Amino acid sequence: MAAPAVGGAGAGGSGGELSSEDEAAAPGEASKQLCHLFEQAAAHLQGLVQAASREQLLYLYARYKQVKVGNCNVPKPGFFDFEGKQKWEAWKALGEASPKQAMQEYVAAVRKLDPTWNPQAPEEKEKEGKVGFGGPVISSLYQEETIREEDKNIFDYCRENNIDHVTKAIKSKKVDVNIKDEEVFTISSLSTQKHLECDLLKNVQGRALLHWACDRGHKELVSILLQFTADINSQDNEGQTALHYASACEFLDIVELLLQAGADPTLRDQEGCLPEEVTECKAVSSVLQQHTAGRA
């Protein structure tokens, strides 16, 4: 997803903007001023989060990460981490944008959110926000509510990669290895799972533990579930198998594991897509195509 432009490096204004003359005269000093202005903008944003749209926050998030980390260097989040994927895509879309450009655009975007902001005026200290995927910038929008231990179900432990708990539950026969999430999620449990949007959950159910383990990239857990004879070709309510999930999330090692264990790469989902057609990873697609050709 390309981040929408809510501000640009060329936005003018007084009270902290750097002119081209300033940069030409003292590039080192201008750089320091820009860094200081960026940090002021990040602090000021904490008081503007409620007034900003999701698109604006994603735009700011991406530029904050580009400044603090550099080019996007983390794997794409899992298929059902909707918010994580939005943030990753916004950051990834910046490509190799320079920190200077990212800072300028960030400051301009904050100024657009609050045209009255004057960086030279003293500002009350904002409450420290929780640090999340991208620092304090938009954590109030994306922070996940902690689920109390007593409220967790087997799928929560699966998402957390709690191998010990999942293994014990299956061994004790308290949980069927092929149980579907639609059999577990209830109205009360949904209220504790903000990372799953209710309208999407209604449309995408029927996921087994193997689907979730593949979605989150938990290779060891996938292997254990297969040892417990998990149905490797189980399809969710949209017809997608664990192989679809691993492929979409670009977990090549899990794709290979599933294929070795007998996963069927010719099964299509309800939209008619094969696992090789839901991935953007050439390596994953190649492995799937070769395996399919070998079966012919």
Side-chain angles (χ1 to χ4, degrees):
M1 177 185 71
V6 298
S14 59
E17 291 287 355
L18 300 177
S19 68
S20 57
E21 293 179 357
D22 289 335
E23 294 189 15
E29 184 62 29
S31 179
K32 290 180 181 179
Q33 290 179 24
L34 179 58
C35 289
H36 180 63
L37 188 59
F38 167 75
E39 296 297 343
Q40 285 181 299
H44 186 68
L45 178 62
Q46 300 308 302
L48 304 175
V49 169
Q50 298 301 320
S53 67
R54 181 180 293 268
E55 288 73 21
Q56 289 172 316
L57 292 174
L58 285 170
Y59 179 93
L60 288 159
Y61 164 84
R63 280 142 188 83
Y64 186 92
K65 292 291 287 186
Q66 195 74 8
V67 172
K68 295 295 184 179
V69 179
N71 300 340
C72 183
N73 59 358
V74 296
K76 189 174 183 178
F79 189 71
F80 287 106
D81 185 359
F82 306 110
E83 294 167 348
K85 285 201 299 183
Q86 284 184 317
K87 292 188 288 183
W88 184 89
E89 289 167 353
W91 181 18
K92 187 74 172 178
L94 289 182
E96 298 183 358
S98 68
K100 177 182 176 182
Q101 176 186 337
M103 284 192 284
Q104 290 174 328
E105 292 177 351
Y106 186 98
V107 170
V110 171
R111 190 179 300 283
K112 186 170 182 177
L113 272 172
D114 181 10
T116 66
W117 174 50
N118 180 6
Q120 296 177 345
E123 188 162 359
E124 293 184 8
K125 187 176 181 180
E126 299 284 353
K127 291 183 179 180
E128 185 176 354
K130 292 184 179 180
V131 176
F133 182 76
V137 191
I138 57 174
S139 56
S140 62
L141 176 66
Y142 286 108
Q143 69 185 52
E144 291 187 359
E145 182 178 339
T146 301
I147 304 174
R148 296 180 304 173
E149 195 67 23
E150 58 267 30
D151 291 332
K152 291 180 181 178
N153 59 51
I154 191 63
F155 291 95
D156 294 314
Y157 291 113
C158 182
R159 284 191 293 273
E160 293 172 359
N161 200 26
N162 191 328
I163 293 175
D164 185 58
H165 188 100
V166 173
T167 301
K168 286 180 179 179
I170 296 174
K171 277 186 175 180
S172 66
K173 300 190 182 300
K174 291 181 179 179
V175 171
D176 185 332
V177 69
N178 291 313
I179 189 174
K180 298 292 186 73
D181 54 15
E182 62 187 355
E183 301 172 47
V184 174
F185 287 119
T186 63
I187 297 300
S188 59
S189 66
L190 280 175
S191 66
T192 68
Q193 311 211 21
K194 289 191 173 180
H195 53 294
L196 293 176
E197 298 181 10
C198 294
D199 58 334
L200 289 171
L201 186 60
K202 290 174 183 176
N203 294 325
V204 188
Q205 291 183 338
R207 298 175 297 269
L209 293 170
L210 189 59
H211 286 98
W212 281 104
C214 289
D215 172 74
R216 294 303 169 100
H218 301 328
K219 182 180 179 181
E220 184 179 357
L221 182 55
V222 169
S223 180
I224 290 173
L225 291 171
L226 291 175
Q227 290 173 27
F228 282 111
T229 65
D231 183 355
I232 199 169
N233 291 317
S234 174
Q235 293 174 284
D236 67 13
N237 290 356
E238 291 194 336
Q240 295 199 329
T241 65
L243 191 57
H244 280 89
Y245 284 50
S247 300
C249 297
E250 302 179 2
F251 294 127
L252 178 59
D253 55 346
I254 296 181
V255 168
E256 293 175 333
L257 174 61
L258 291 171
L259 291 172
Q260 291 169 8
D264 186 351
T266 66
L267 289 178
R268 297 179 181 272
D269 62 20
Q270 289 184 357
E271 294 184 355
C273 294
L274 295 169
E276 68 184 64
E277 296 171 329
V278 300
T279 183
E280 297 178 359
C281 177
K282 292 182 179 179
V284 169
S285 181
S286 176
V287 166
L288 289 166
Q289 289 172 359
Q290 290 175 15
H291 190 86
T292 302
R295 289 165 54 99

